[in-house]
Amino acid sequence: MESTIEKLQIVMSEEEREAKDRVKPDNGPAFSPDGKLPDESEAAKEHDTSNAAKEPDNNNPAGPVSTDNSRKFSARIAAKQTMDESDKLENPKLPPIASSESESETPEEESCELLREYFPTKEEKIADLKRRQPKDTAKVIDAKARKTERLRTLAQTQNGIYVGSSTVKRMFSNKEPRGRGYDPFRKADKQMKEVVLDHYKSCPGLGKKKTIKTVHDYPLRFWWYDLLNQNEWLIDTHMNAAVYLLRTRLLDHPEWFRSDRFCLVDTTFGQYWTAKYDEFKMIEPNELGEGRPLPTLSYDYYKGVLPEPRPTNKIWGVDIDELYIPFNLNGDHWVALFVSLPKRHITIYDSKPSHVKPGLLASLIEPVTVMFPYLMRQLADEDKKYEWTLEPFTYDRPIDQASVPQQANGSDCGVFTLKFIECHALGIEFPQTLCHKNIPSLRLRLAYDLFEETGVRGPKERDWSELD
């Protein structure tokens, strides 16, 4: 290619030099001897030469003698043909060379457009998931190892000095049934209201109206404002703070609740599984139905390491039989999920069933119904895997207003969800006092309990590194 370009440059330089030699001083229009202008005479010569080239000379079998112009033209054509042949030999599929303007503008624009519109393909996503598979495998091994570390000990009633008397005590127990440790609907008094309002007034930004800018500038003030105002919707940080409050009570006073074999999960679990469900479905299972990547945080929840603070460190299926999960449907409605692992069933307590139709509910709850059996089967011992099939969990949503109270506006679903979880964990049926007119008092009581019992003073920033 370089040698061809050099030949072409040499030919072009010779043409330019000869063209300069033919240039004469301009002394006015000079006529040729035959009375024609110089341009006309040159044109006539070229016309005669071209005609001579077309008509063969019988006396000269090699053809007519070429003039200077024809020799230059033929050299130029030969150089171009040589360049084209070299291009075909080196790059047989090379596209035509663009003009100088397109060479200076088009490639840069196309490359920038390619960077702006690039999205990873399904194959690239699958390759990335397989690349991260060793990390998930290590999590599975660690989660399974936690089972062997658990020491199986006798219950407290089985450790009596006299076996006979302890058996009688087990058969005829005078102890009251567990649960109902406190009244979840006790009203807040005037002193509680003063404590909460004093703290609320001490937050910076008091007197500012709620806008996007003010919420960003004064997050602490508007966090308490949304918690106390019945017209505002509870966000996930409110829900997680309330779940932390219930988890603290369960760890400190397990006798208050109907059982100690359940755990309270935060909202991050449902949001995390919903966000990762597409990646879970992207990988095809093997012949045993396994081999799909579960979200990495799932193993920490399974072991009881999450949620923080105050983790339970109890293993699902071993120490835990039931779970309570505040779950967000479609990003705008809170419901309470009661998951029974032995029954493989999920009960959805919804304070406004008309908000999400049954057809849409099936798709929104699918990440939980499908991934729960998969998680339990993957982490089960080899001799126990048959107990955990990969069939999705069943679910139902009671809509009887007599048993499941209904909200009267569009902003109280978070408060109803928290009270559904609290009452069910305490072994209390949902009372009719859970209604619209009592929500302000329940919000105030929740704010006071968070302030006094847990030391919560505002929203906790979350780390979403696992969602990158």
Side-chain angles (χ1 to χ4, degrees):
M1 177 70 76
E2 292 179 355
S3 60
T4 305
I5 294 175
E6 290 178 359
K7 292 179 182 180
L8 185 60
Q9 291 177 348
I10 293 173
V11 173
M12 297 298 292
S13 61
E14 290 179 356
E15 292 181 5
E16 293 176 357
R17 188 165 51 255
E18 292 178 0
K20 290 180 180 180
D21 294 342
R22 289 198 302 270
V23 174
K24 294 181 180 180
D26 187 8
N27 296 327
F31 289 87
S32 60
D34 55 356
K36 297 181 180 180
L37 290 172
D39 294 339
E40 294 178 356
S41 62
E42 290 294 333
K45 289 181 181 179
E46 291 179 2
H47 180 69
D48 294 339
T49 305
S50 61
N51 291 336
K54 292 180 182 179
E55 297 178 359
D57 188 0
N58 297 330
N59 298 329
N60 188 3
V65 179
S66 60
T67 61
D68 293 340
N69 292 333
S70 62
R71 184 170 59 253
K72 296 170 187 175
F73 181 77
S74 62
R76 192 181 309 167
I77 294 299
K80 187 177 184 305
Q81 290 178 352
T82 306
M83 182 177 179
D84 293 342
E85 290 177 358
S86 62
D87 288 345
K88 291 179 180 180
L89 291 175
E90 295 181 3
N91 301 314
K93 296 182 180 181
L94 192 66
I97 299 176
S99 62
S100 60
E101 294 180 0
S102 62
E103 288 177 359
S104 61
E105 298 178 1
T106 304
E108 184 179 358
E109 293 178 357
E110 291 180 353
S111 61
C112 294
E113 191 69 23
L114 181 62
L115 291 175
R116 284 194 295 267
E117 297 182 354
Y118 175 75
F119 295 98
T121 62
K122 181 179 179 180
E123 291 75 11
E124 292 175 343
K125 291 182 179 179
I126 293 176
D128 183 63
L129 291 175
K130 290 182 178 180
R131 178 181 60 82
R132 294 182 295 179
Q133 194 69 20
K135 181 181 178 181
D136 297 340
T137 305
K139 285 278 187 179
V140 172
I141 296 174
D142 180 61
K144 288 185 176 181
R146 291 293 298 268
K147 291 185 178 182
T148 60
E149 296 175 2
R150 179 174 180 264
L151 299 177
R152 298 187 178 273
T153 58
L154 295 176
Q156 187 175 5
T157 57
Q158 296 173 328
N159 290 330
I161 300 176
Y162 303 102
V163 178
S165 63
S166 64
T167 304
V168 173
K169 288 181 180 180
R170 291 200 304 272
M171 294 175 61
F172 303 97
S173 177
N174 294 326
K175 293 183 179 180
E176 296 181 358
R178 292 189 52 167
R180 300 177 179 269
Y182 61 91
D183 181 13
F185 296 96
R186 58 195 187 281
K187 294 184 179 180
D189 54 21
K190 184 177 180 181
Q191 182 180 0
M192 296 178 183
K193 185 176 181 180
E194 291 177 354
V195 171
V196 174
L197 291 181
D198 288 343
H199 175 71
Y200 170 68
K201 293 177 181 179
S202 65
C203 298
L206 187 65
K208 300 289 185 180
K209 293 184 178 180
K210 186 177 181 180
T211 62
I212 297 177
K213 185 178 184 304
T214 56
V215 170
H216 180 269
D217 294 338
Y218 309 104
L220 184 61
R221 188 254 175 180
F222 286 99
W223 191 83
W224 288 99
Y225 172 81
D226 294 343
L227 179 58
L228 297 171
N229 193 342
Q230 188 175 6
N231 295 324
E232 298 296 335
W233 195 64
L234 295 187
I235 59 176
D236 52 353
T237 51
H238 293 125
M239 307 295 286
N240 291 340
V243 169
Y244 170 52
L245 172 66
L246 295 177
R247 193 167 62 251
T248 302
R249 291 174 178 174
L250 175 62
L251 294 175
D252 295 340
H253 302 280
E255 70 278 3
W256 288 358
F257 298 86
R258 62 178 182 81
S259 172
D260 59 354
R261 293 187 60 82
F262 69 84
C263 68
L264 298 150
V265 185
D266 58 6
T267 63
T268 306
F269 177 81
Q271 294 170 343
Y272 184 58
W273 269 23
T274 302
K276 291 291 186 178
Y277 186 56
D278 289 337
E279 293 184 3
F280 175 80
K281 296 189 298 182
M282 195 176 297
I283 301 296
E284 294 295 332
N286 55 24
E287 61 277 2
L288 299 178
E290 302 175 357
R292 284 179 164 176
L294 276 169
T296 307
L297 287 182
S298 305
Y299 308 107
D300 293 331
Y301 279 100
Y302 171 84
K303 295 181 298 183
V305 178
L306 291 177
E308 293 180 338
R310 297 293 300 272
T312 61
N313 293 315
K314 292 184 177 181
I315 302 172
W316 295 357
V318 178
D319 307 304
I320 298 297
D321 296 328
E322 299 164 340
L323 301 93
Y324 293 100
I325 307 173
F327 193 79
N328 195 292
L329 293 178
N330 208 27
D332 57 1
H333 184 56
W334 292 109
V335 296
L337 302 185
F338 173 63
V339 183
S340 175
L341 297 177
K343 296 180 180 180
R344 302 173 56 89
H345 185 75
I346 301 174
T347 303
I348 305 172
Y349 295 108
D350 190 350
S351 60
K352 195 174 184 180
S354 60
H355 185 77
V356 178
K357 303 301 180 183
L360 180 60
L361 178 64
S363 60
L364 296 178
I365 205 68
E366 184 178 347
V368 180
T369 58
V370 173
M371 297 172 72
F372 252 117
Y374 193 90
L375 172 66
M376 301 306 296
R377 179 180 176 86
Q378 185 175 8
L379 297 178
D381 295 334
E382 294 299 329
D383 58 340
K384 299 292 184 180
K385 282 186 178 292
Y386 71 92
E387 297 180 358
W388 296 99
T389 63
L390 295 178
E391 296 179 2
F393 279 15
T394 58
Y395 70 92
D396 72 316
R397 180 174 60 170
I399 59 175
D400 183 14
Q401 296 186 9
S403 58
V404 181
Q406 303 294 295
Q407 65 187 85
N409 60 5
S411 57
D412 285 339
C413 57
V415 181
F416 275 82
T417 296
L418 294 174
K419 286 304 173 182
F420 288 155
I421 293 176
E422 186 177 13
C423 290
H424 199 282
L426 290 170
I428 301 174
E429 295 181 358
F430 306 145
Q432 294 303 315
T433 53
L434 181 56
C435 58
H436 180 78
K437 68 177 183 178
N438 292 331
I439 294 299
S441 176
L442 294 177
R443 284 176 176 258
L444 178 60
R445 181 76 200 198
L446 175 60
Y448 176 79
D449 291 343
L450 290 175
F451 187 86
E452 290 295 329
E453 294 187 36
T454 64
V456 172
R457 296 295 183 267
K460 179 183 177 182
E461 295 184 1
R462 296 164 299 172
D463 182 13
W464 292 105
S465 59
E466 292 292 340
L467 291 180
D468 292 342

